[in-house]
Amino acid sequence: MSDLIVLGDSFMKLFLLSLSFLAFVSCSSINEWRRPASFGHDLTGSYLGVADYKLGRKGPNNAATRLYLNEIEGEKGSYYALIHEYVNLLNMFPEYVAANKAPAINKVIGYLKDITSKLEVYKMVPSAVDGEYHFYPVKVDGDKIVTLSSENPRHLKLKKGQDLEHPLVGAILTSNGKKGQPKEIFFPQDNDKKYNGIQYTIASFVYKKIGLDSTWRKEFLPGPYLSAYGRLDDVVLDLKQVGNQKISTFQLNPEMAKKSRKSRARMFTNKKSAFLEGTYETIEPAEGMFLVRPLKADDKTNKVLSTRIGLFVDIFDATKALNQDVVELIFVDPANPEDFLMYYEHPENGEGESK
């Protein structure tokens, strides 16, 4: 265990350095209209925790995980919830550093396209027990996002106490036994005698040291989006506000036409993104949750997109620390949290271009 701690400490310093480079060199400037919602009297916000898995799984047994909560308008005390699990953070920093300090190296080591291991979407509602919430899955039904009933929902159990750093300190999100879920997700508290793991330690240190946030944005954010972080010559999705319509255009990059289908597919977070093409109207059936509906697109693209929920999430949000950000647009399949499409905002996407 001591060897792991030493190794983790070394990589922590390197990862901090890489994220420092990211924060100082990437990103577009922010105006007030793009600022994320701040903490209020409710639970809206994001919380870093630990997904505690059984031994022998692929990936860290103690995975850094973040819970995003957004209170539902007109349903006080109920929330839409995103559960985001980070990839192995020790493997991320070379691509971060290269993209921001030596982009030419990306051509050798690859571009960053793996930040998220999986992303789940739920509706969280209060239970009959004070301080406990039920988590119900959701799905897309036409132009609506509907909640599915469950006789065995997951439960979030809050820790009671007046001196907690944030409302979820000491909280536990249970499993309902579904395949792929951790035994539990917990939100560490001092002296809780739980093993947080290297991934959580790195993430917690980096976010606090640099002053980063991680935010689920409620707005539709126009602009060009890339196939991978820092791959500036590969715009594959363009979002525009045209009058009252929000338009999303998936496009093929002619500069990549000579690549084989297999090579092109490997350039994306999800190979399904590689050949999407078409123009869509984007609607918002719930705050911060978007669906696309075809204006001019083929059946293959429609099949990939029709049941997905679009989410604007800034996983490493430097808005407060440096007045900078790069947002990820993620299209989640509620039925399969590992099958998501991810696009990366162009770092030069300034406000004049966004409006």
Side-chain angles (χ1 to χ4, degrees):
M1 182 64 70
S2 60
D3 290 339
L4 286 176
I5 294 173
V6 171
L7 179 62
D9 183 64
S10 299
F11 274 105
M12 187 188 306
K13 293 175 182 176
L14 289 169
F15 190 72
L16 172 61
L17 178 63
S18 68
L19 279 182
S20 298
F21 289 152
L22 168 68
F24 278 103
V25 245
S26 71
C27 321
S28 51
S29 61
I30 311 301
N31 287 335
E32 286 298 323
W33 75 284
R34 279 180 66 119
R35 290 194 179 278
S38 60
F39 281 88
H41 64 281
D42 60 32
L43 299 179
T44 296
S46 74
Y47 305 90
L48 185 65
V50 179
D52 185 11
Y53 285 92
K54 295 179 180 179
L55 295 176
R57 75 178 290 258
K58 183 179 179 180
N61 291 318
N62 298 93
T65 300
R66 188 170 289 276
L67 173 64
Y68 302 85
L69 297 176
N70 184 18
E71 189 171 34
I72 301 172
E73 187 175 357
E75 296 187 42
K76 189 173 179 61
S78 294
Y79 300 80
Y80 283 117
L82 312 180
I83 303 174
H84 164 258
E85 186 175 303
Y86 294 84
V87 297
N88 189 326
L89 295 174
L90 301 180
N91 297 333
M92 286 176 56
F93 76 89
E95 292 162 350
Y96 261 124
V97 173
N100 293 286
K101 299 300 289 184
I105 297 177
N106 280 125
K107 295 181 180 179
V108 178
I109 67 172
Y111 289 84
L112 180 67
K113 56 185 179 68
D114 295 311
I115 298 175
T116 303
S117 174
K118 64 180 180 180
L119 197 132
E120 300 171 273
V121 186
Y122 290 93
K123 182 176 181 179
M124 183 178 103
V125 301
S127 75
V129 180
D130 186 40
E132 293 189 13
Y133 294 82
H134 296 317
F135 273 57
Y136 294 104
V138 302
K139 74 170 186 176
V140 176
D141 184 6
D143 289 344
K144 297 179 181 179
I145 296 171
V146 299
T147 305
L148 301 176
S149 62
S150 173
E151 295 181 358
N152 182 30
R154 300 173 76 174
H155 293 84
L156 178 69
K157 302 178 181 180
L158 301 183
K159 181 86 172 182
K160 294 182 179 179
Q162 300 299 318
D163 58 346
L164 301 179
E165 182 181 356
H166 61 70
L168 263 69
V169 166
I172 293 175
L173 177 59
T174 66
S175 170
N176 61 2
K178 188 175 180 180
K179 184 178 179 181
Q181 287 182 7
K183 292 182 291 183
E184 66 177 23
I185 296 173
F186 65 89
F187 300 86
Q189 182 176 20
D190 291 342
N191 303 318
D192 62 9
K193 297 183 180 180
K194 291 177 178 285
Y195 176 62
N196 298 340
I198 293 173
Q199 303 297 317
Y200 173 86
T201 303
I202 292 172
S204 179
F205 180 77
V206 168
Y207 276 94
K208 289 179 180 178
K209 185 69 175 178
I210 300 178
L212 298 177
D213 289 325
S214 190
T215 52
W216 174 10
R217 301 300 180 84
K218 297 180 181 180
E219 304 90 352
F220 176 82
L221 300 177
Y225 286 77
L226 310 172
S227 63
Y229 179 80
R231 197 187 285 273
L232 303 182
D233 62 347
D234 200 12
V235 175
V236 293
L237 175 59
D238 188 51
L239 274 54
K240 294 184 185 301
Q241 182 81 40
V242 182
N244 294 325
Q245 276 191 314
K246 300 175 177 66
I247 303 298
S248 299
T249 303
F250 295 81
Q251 57 198 43
L252 303 181
N253 185 349
E255 295 184 15
M256 303 294 175
K258 293 183 179 180
K259 291 189 175 293
S260 70
R261 293 183 66 87
K262 183 178 290 188
S263 295
R264 182 56 173 153
R266 285 199 298 262
M267 297 171 72
F268 290 81
T269 298
N270 188 326
K271 64 182 180 181
K272 293 179 182 179
S273 295
F275 303 103
L276 300 184
E277 188 175 17
T279 302
Y280 289 80
E281 180 180 15
T282 302
I283 61 174
E284 187 177 6
E287 187 177 34
M289 305 176 78
F290 299 88
L291 306 177
V292 293
R293 293 294 172 256
L295 296 175
K296 185 179 180 182
D298 61 35
D299 290 340
K300 289 183 179 179
T301 300
N302 291 336
K303 185 176 181 180
V304 173
L305 295 173
S306 62
T307 58
R308 295 181 186 271
I309 300 171
L311 307 165
F312 293 90
V313 181
D314 195 346
I315 295 170
F316 296 108
D317 181 358
T319 301
K320 293 178 182 177
L322 299 165
N323 202 35
Q324 299 171 337
D325 79 333
V326 169
V327 172
E328 290 80 40
L329 172 53
I330 312 170
F331 288 94
V332 179
D333 179 355
N336 185 355
E338 296 182 1
D339 181 23
F340 54 87
L341 316 179
M342 184 176 282
Y343 302 90
Y344 304 80
E345 185 184 23
H346 196 295
E348 297 176 3
N349 182 36
E351 298 310 310
E353 190 172 335
S354 296
K355 289 185 177 180

